[in-house]
Amino acid sequence: MLLTKIPRVKCLSCSTELYQYQGFWYPLDILESLISIQENFKAKPTDIFLCASPKAGFTWLKALGFAIETRRTRFDNDDDLSTNPLLKKLSHDVVPWLELDFTNNIKSRDPKLPLLATHLPYTSLPESVISSGCKIIYMCREPKDTFVSYWHFFQRIILPNNKYSKEAQVSASFEKEFELFCEGKSVGGPYWDHVLGLWRASIEKPGTVLFLKYEEVKGNTLFSVRKLAEFIGKPFSDKEEMERVPQRIVELCSFENLSNLKVNKEGKRLSVGPLEIDHSAFFRKGMSGDWKNHLADEMKETMDQISKEKLLGSNLVFGSTT
Ligand code: PAP
């Protein structure tokens, strides 16, 4: 593919160029990985994909999915989850990440772990993911909160000169980045198209695609944990219910718990290419409705209007953030 021929735009916050491919925008490294995995990755029918657009609840979904999936089977002595790897590792490091870990199929799969995670939109998933009928769980978040989270996250990226984006005085401004996000020119954007792709898939294939809303998971995490367990074919047994396993998973994966772990307070990981990010950047506030502290009235109106137009006829309503 000739890179010079594909549209590109400068992502102001992350100080990198985004390339448009199959209707969505990616940094170059991710685009190259995407093309490679589209050609090479072979999904198995037993795979379970955890998906979300950037900043829509990916870290949390991975933690929940991992804790639910690995109970009983992986950590047999882990009755109280006290030896769960989530206590020592960021959830991004316990669930393999399709577009980061599988370029050229270099990563061998853990045969005991059917989970994989991806930010990719439904229409760009490798063909085998769709044809194998493997399960997909999607986390959607209200776009105003997603944008606010997105903005803050990219301020925390550490550039190769070891400066934070913010300190490096990248030419970003909140207003300009907002405009780009609204135009769909954000990492993994257009956000609304990403959401709608998975929403439609969940309507067409309800047993295969589960569509969750961040706000609803936040509102009743216990209900969502039981729903997730059922969807992946591992409902909680009466014994587990008696032992309060679902409740313990909720607590383990709560924002309060994860954000206070040493690994998530002090760790650091590579983000995209040479860019680094502190683990703590994945845990900012973990609440719904923070947009009210950041968006001017006019911005709120603009984004709500876009949501209204984009969602028209889809029957999708974003989770409430009031
Ligand atoms: P990613 O796409 O870079 O992996 P992602 O996890 O999707 O990021 O989004 C991070 C958001 O999820 C942050 O939201 P905020 O900026 O509005 O605070 C983060 O705080 C929130 N988050 C992370 N872990 C949890 C959790 N356990 N419970 C609730 N929210 C969480």
Side-chain angles (χ1 to χ4, degrees):
M1 185 178 48
L2 266 181
L3 279 179
T4 46
K5 298 232 161 159
I6 61 174
R8 64 174 89 173
V9 67
K10 181 99 176 157
C11 169
L12 301 177
S13 304
C14 58
S15 192
T16 187
E17 298 226 281
L18 300 181
Y19 292 77
Q20 192 183 36
Y21 180 68
Q22 298 180 336
F24 292 85
W25 295 91
Y26 306 97
L28 188 54
D29 308 54
I30 300 294
L31 174 58
E32 287 170 348
S33 303
L34 165 55
I35 291 167
S36 164
I37 55 163
Q38 282 183 338
E39 285 168 7
N40 300 314
F41 182 79
K42 298 280 171 279
K44 293 185 273 182
T46 48
D47 286 341
I48 300 167
F49 276 83
L50 306 175
C51 305
S53 193
K55 313 326 295 175
F58 199 42
T59 313
W60 192 20
L61 179 61
K62 284 184 184 181
L64 290 169
F66 182 82
I68 294 167
E69 169 60 37
T70 60
R71 77 189 204 274
R72 293 189 295 195
T73 50
R74 287 305 286 283
F75 313 107
D76 288 343
N77 299 326
D78 187 17
D79 286 344
D80 57 0
L81 301 170
S82 63
T83 56
N84 196 286
L86 286 168
L87 296 169
K88 293 272 163 52
K89 289 182 178 179
L90 177 67
S91 65
H92 290 299
D93 294 326
V94 298
V95 179
W97 192 327
L98 184 65
E99 57 273 36
L100 295 190
D101 296 332
F102 287 92
T103 309
N104 302 320
N105 258 343
I106 46 168
K107 182 147 185 165
S108 56
R109 298 282 305 275
D110 175 348
K112 287 194 195 146
L113 188 69
L115 300 178
L116 291 137
T118 184
H119 274 324
L120 297 182
Y122 187 72
T123 44
S124 291
L125 288 172
E127 198 277 327
S128 66
V129 176
I130 311 298
S131 61
S132 67
C134 60
K135 290 185 176 168
I136 300 176
I137 301 164
Y138 187 71
M139 182 84 95
C140 153
R141 191 177 192 188
E142 203 279 336
K144 298 192 291 299
D145 274 345
T146 305
F147 169 71
V148 167
S149 184
Y150 177 90
W151 165 262
H152 282 100
F153 181 77
F154 283 112
Q155 304 296 298
R156 299 278 312 267
I157 293 250
I158 303 164
L159 299 171
N161 61 6
N162 215 17
K163 295 213 159 160
Y164 286 95
S165 310
K166 200 168 161 187
E167 292 167 11
Q169 296 289 307
V170 182
S171 55
S173 80
F174 186 71
E175 288 73 19
K176 186 63 194 159
E177 197 66 67
F178 176 83
E179 248 174 60
L180 287 171
F181 190 93
C182 289
E183 286 168 16
K185 294 169 182 163
S186 56
V187 178
Y191 180 68
W192 293 266
D193 295 358
H194 199 287
V195 171
L196 282 167
L198 266 297
W199 169 251
R200 291 191 188 110
S202 74
I203 305 275
E204 281 163 25
K205 307 173 182 176
T208 308
V209 183
L210 177 67
F211 190 94
L212 300 172
K213 297 179 188 174
Y214 179 98
E215 298 73 22
E216 290 178 359
V217 180
K218 190 92 197 152
N220 192 344
T221 315
L222 185 57
F223 175 80
S224 304
V225 161
R226 290 191 178 117
K227 191 167 164 180
L228 272 164
E230 263 173 44
F231 181 76
I232 65 170
K234 288 189 172 179
F236 294 102
S237 65
D238 290 345
K239 182 169 177 282
E240 285 181 305
E241 288 287 353
M242 290 264 293
E243 289 167 355
R244 303 185 73 254
V245 176
Q247 284 86 345
R248 288 212 295 267
I249 289 176
V250 172
E251 284 154 26
L252 171 71
C253 300
S254 69
F255 180 85
E256 292 66 29
N257 186 50
L258 293 182
S259 63
N260 281 308
L261 296 173
K262 188 171 175 346
V263 62
N264 294 330
K265 277 179 156 173
E266 296 173 11
K268 193 176 276 196
R269 84 190 311 273
L270 279 180
S271 177
V272 178
L275 306 179
E276 284 189 342
I277 189 89
D278 294 324
H279 288 178
S280 60
F282 293 96
F283 303 91
R284 193 181 60 94
K285 287 193 177 171
M287 60 178 273
S288 297
D290 190 41
W291 63 265
K292 290 176 211 146
N293 299 315
H294 298 276
L295 298 191
D297 291 350
E298 201 181 304
M299 291 171 143
K300 180 220 179 265
E301 295 303 327
T302 302
M303 222 181 240
D304 284 350
Q305 186 57 30
I306 295 171
S307 295
K308 199 170 154 191
E309 285 166 19
K310 288 275 194 179
L311 268 47
L312 194 68
S314 69
N315 277 334
L316 172 63
V317 179
F318 284 121
S320 168
T321 57
T322 49

